[in-house]
């Protein structure tokens, strides 16, 4: 099955007919359809399909128990109204690259695996990279059991409903020990390759980033009868904090976004009792990130005090810088240079990835494919098919260099 036909088959799953964006949240019907598609691709190629204790899917060529496997892949879940490429491009390209290698008649000297990491975006349960964090031992079973979605459904319950044993959830060191190298191909979430005029690039690092929840608690009251001087309106310090986030980020050369907010009771004619805002902040350096978040929190506290509103700030996740393995990165540059010429782009990124999580434990690298719009986490995310095919060839070259003779 060609890249194009795989892509065409997966494309409609979980796609909105209105926006063209995707809603493929972990352990939902759309996720189940993506998983069925993955299993079908594995079986159609005679690969051994397995689902691990954390719900990650694996397709093996050769016996992983032999160890030192080369694994590639990414994720199939999405953010709300996400683009078509973030995640799926890495999984479809993995199957297409394996097909390409088999077409070249290479002899595999190591087991080769293709992985679909579950719940990378964290769109439903609020934590990104759940599947890879559990595999890497960066999330305990107890922490995973505490994750719940907006309807109060816990991660274990959602997984159980999808046929998994919730008591099996937890770190998977044996599986990790079998992997000698992980290479994730991903659509670039930015325009660097477009500006450099290259279809494919290599990642150097994932910058530090994190998620914080700001709870502003005020006093619910009537919007029409409560004098302004009598109000304790949490929406005001929240609004001041959103502006402070932009100011602090600009000052530090970082990025900060309040992309999600929940208001209670959320009535047009009711002054809110609670405004809950989620901050996503990222910077090229941990100290800069800490300074930015500190400045935002300071502004939030000042605003809350000024309006007689209480404030709680909860750090929901914080992912330190992920430097990819230098030797593996240089291997990728050398392999790509053979095909693409000497100046293979090497790029840092502010986007989190499963590869970033795993890089703390095993040799890991990433390939990026050009995105002409540079837009991601939106239906406007794009990649030309020729560039996708260049990515497949590059991934096949890398896998051949690592796992074949
Ligand atoms: O949020 C991120 O950077 C990733 O897409 N999960
Ligand atoms: Mn993403
Ligand atoms: Mn992604
Ligand atoms: Mn990822």
């Amino acid at each position: 099955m060609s890249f194009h036909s795989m892509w065409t088959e997966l494309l409609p799953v979980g796609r909105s007919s209105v926006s063209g964006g995707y809603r493929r949240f972990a352990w939902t019907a759309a996720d189940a359809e993506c998983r069925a598609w993955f299993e079908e691709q594995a079986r159609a190629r005679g690969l051994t399909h397995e689902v691990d204790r954390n719900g990650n899917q694996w397709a093996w060529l050769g016996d992983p128990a032999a160890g030192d496997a080369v694994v590639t892949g990414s994720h199939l879940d999405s953010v709300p109204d996400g683009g078509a490429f973030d995640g799926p491009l890495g999984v479809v390209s993995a199957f297409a690259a394996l097909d390409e290698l088999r077409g070249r008649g290479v002899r595999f000297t190591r087991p080769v695996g293709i992985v679909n990491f579950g719940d990378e975006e964290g769109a439903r349960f609020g934590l990104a990279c759940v599947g890879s964090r559990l595999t890497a031992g960066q999330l305990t079973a107890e922490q995973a059991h505490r994750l719940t979605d907006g309807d109060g459904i816990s991660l274990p319950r959602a997984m159980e409903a999808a046929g998994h044993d919730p008591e099996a959830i937890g770190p998977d060191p044996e599986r990790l020990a079998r992997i000698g190298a992980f290479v994730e191909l991903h659509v670039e979430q930015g325009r660097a390759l477009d500006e450099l005029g290259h279809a494919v690039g290599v990642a150097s690092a994932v910058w530090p980033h994190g998620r914080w929840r700001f709870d502003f608690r005020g006093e619910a009251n009537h919007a029409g009868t409560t004098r302004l001087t009598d109000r304790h309106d949490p929406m005001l310090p929240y609004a001041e904090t959103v502006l402070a986030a932009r100011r602090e980020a600009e000052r530090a050369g970082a990025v900060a976004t309040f992309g999600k907010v929940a208001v209670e009771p959320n009535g047009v004619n009711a002054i809110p009792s609670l405004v809950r805002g989620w901050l996503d902040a990222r910077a090229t350096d941990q100290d800069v990130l800490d300074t930015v978040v500190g400045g935002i929190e300071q502004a939030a506290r000042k605003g809350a005090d000024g309006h007689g509103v209480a404030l709680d700030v909860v750090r929901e996740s914080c992912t330190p810088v992920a430097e990819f393995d230098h030797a593996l990165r240089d291997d990728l540059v050398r392999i790509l240079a053979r095909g693409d010429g000497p100046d293979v782009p090497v790029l840092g990124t502010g986007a989190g990835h499963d590869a970033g999580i795993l890089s703390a434990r095993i040799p890991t690298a990433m390939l990026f494919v050009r995105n002409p719009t540079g837009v991601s986490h939106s239906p406007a995310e794009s990649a030309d098919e020729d560039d996708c095919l260049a990515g497949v060839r590059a991934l096949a070259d890398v896998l051949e260099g690592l796992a074949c003779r």
Side-chain angles (χ1 to χ4, degrees):
M1 192 180 236
S2 70
F3 174 92
H4 182 81
S5 46
M6 281 192 277
W7 190 257
T8 313
E9 204 176 65
L10 189 59
L11 207 58
V13 177
R15 186 181 202 182
S16 156
S17 54
V18 176
S19 69
Y22 287 83
R23 194 177 179 83
R24 293 171 174 168
F25 292 176
W27 312 110
T28 60
D31 189 33
E33 261 193 84
C34 290
R35 290 167 172 275
W37 173 88
F38 182 95
E39 181 171 357
E40 172 48 38
Q41 296 309 317
R43 299 206 185 288
R45 290 169 177 78
L47 305 177
T48 310
H49 174 258
E50 60 167 344
V51 182
D52 68 22
R53 66 175 57 165
N54 297 308
N56 303 307
Q57 282 181 286
W58 304 78
W60 291 106
L61 179 71
D63 177 3
D68 201 25
V70 175
V71 175
T72 184
S74 188
H75 61 96
L76 293 173
D77 67 308
S78 77
V79 295
D81 210 33
F85 298 86
D86 176 353
L89 182 62
V91 180
V92 175
S93 300
F95 284 113
L98 186 63
D99 295 347
E100 162 97 10
L101 280 182
R102 281 171 150 172
R104 293 180 189 174
V106 298
R107 199 167 67 77
F108 293 93
T109 54
R110 298 163 71 174
V112 172
I114 295 174
V115 63
N116 164 30
F117 280 115
D119 199 3
E120 192 270 356
E121 294 293 3
R124 181 177 174 189
F125 297 99
L127 177 69
C129 300
V130 170
S132 51
R133 284 182 203 273
L134 283 165
T135 304
Q138 289 182 19
L139 186 68
T140 64
E142 195 251 338
Q143 288 167 327
H145 277 250
R146 281 209 306 262
L147 293 174
T148 56
D149 69 7
D151 298 325
I153 297 173
S154 71
L155 172 68
R157 257 198 51 216
M159 288 179 72
E160 191 169 26
H164 293 277
D165 170 9
E167 293 319 310
I169 295 171
D172 202 347
E174 301 81 32
R175 181 171 300 276
L176 210 57
R178 291 174 175 174
I179 303 173
F182 175 59
V183 180
E184 179 173 2
L185 180 145
H186 204 284
V187 67
E188 188 195 348
Q189 294 163 303
R191 292 203 32 238
L193 289 175
D194 188 52
E195 285 159 4
L196 292 167
H198 275 260
V200 180
V202 175
S204 56
V206 173
W207 297 334
H209 57 285
R211 297 181 184 189
W212 289 261
R213 201 187 74 228
F214 285 62
D215 291 350
F216 295 91
R217 289 183 194 289
E219 247 173 52
N221 210 328
H222 194 298
T225 59
T226 312
R227 285 180 295 182
L228 294 184
T229 48
D230 292 342
R231 294 185 179 206
H232 298 283
D233 181 351
M235 192 64 87
L236 296 171
Y238 169 68
E240 289 161 7
T241 303
V242 171
L243 294 172
R246 180 56 179 258
R247 212 176 32 248
E248 292 296 329
E250 276 175 352
R251 186 181 303 156
V255 288
T257 313
F258 275 93
K260 178 178 173 181
V261 62
V263 182
E264 290 177 10
N266 209 26
V268 174
N269 55 354
I271 300 168
S273 55
L274 169 69
V275 174
R276 182 163 273 172
W278 280 266
L279 168 69
D280 177 315
R282 312 194 188 200
T284 53
D285 169 279
Q286 190 64 49
D287 292 343
V288 170
L289 179 60
D290 295 345
T291 306
V292 168
V293 175
I296 296 169
E297 186 168 344
Q298 203 175 1
R301 294 212 177 281
K302 183 164 170 268
D305 293 347
H307 294 286
V309 165
L311 169 64
D312 278 315
V313 180
V314 177
R315 190 182 80 173
E316 293 198 335
S317 71
C318 203
T319 307
V321 63
E323 287 273 350
F324 291 117
D325 180 90
H326 289 187
L328 190 55
R329 179 201 62 200
D330 294 348
D331 275 351
L332 265 61
V333 171
R334 183 175 43 74
I335 292 168
L336 293 195
R338 281 205 300 260
D340 217 10
D343 52 347
V344 175
V346 179
L347 314 165
T349 179
H353 296 285
D354 296 311
I357 298 297
L358 293 175
S359 69
R361 301 292 307 279
I362 56 173
T364 303
M366 286 194 80
L367 290 173
F368 289 135
V369 172
R370 176 164 45 195
N371 171 347
T373 63
V375 174
S376 184
H377 287 188
S378 149
E381 184 180 78
S382 79
D384 298 337
E385 180 145 350
D386 287 351
D387 286 347
C388 295
L389 296 176
V392 169
R393 285 193 300 276
L395 183 58
D397 292 347
V398 165
L399 295 178
E400 184 173 358
L402 295 175
C404 306
R405 228 208 297 282

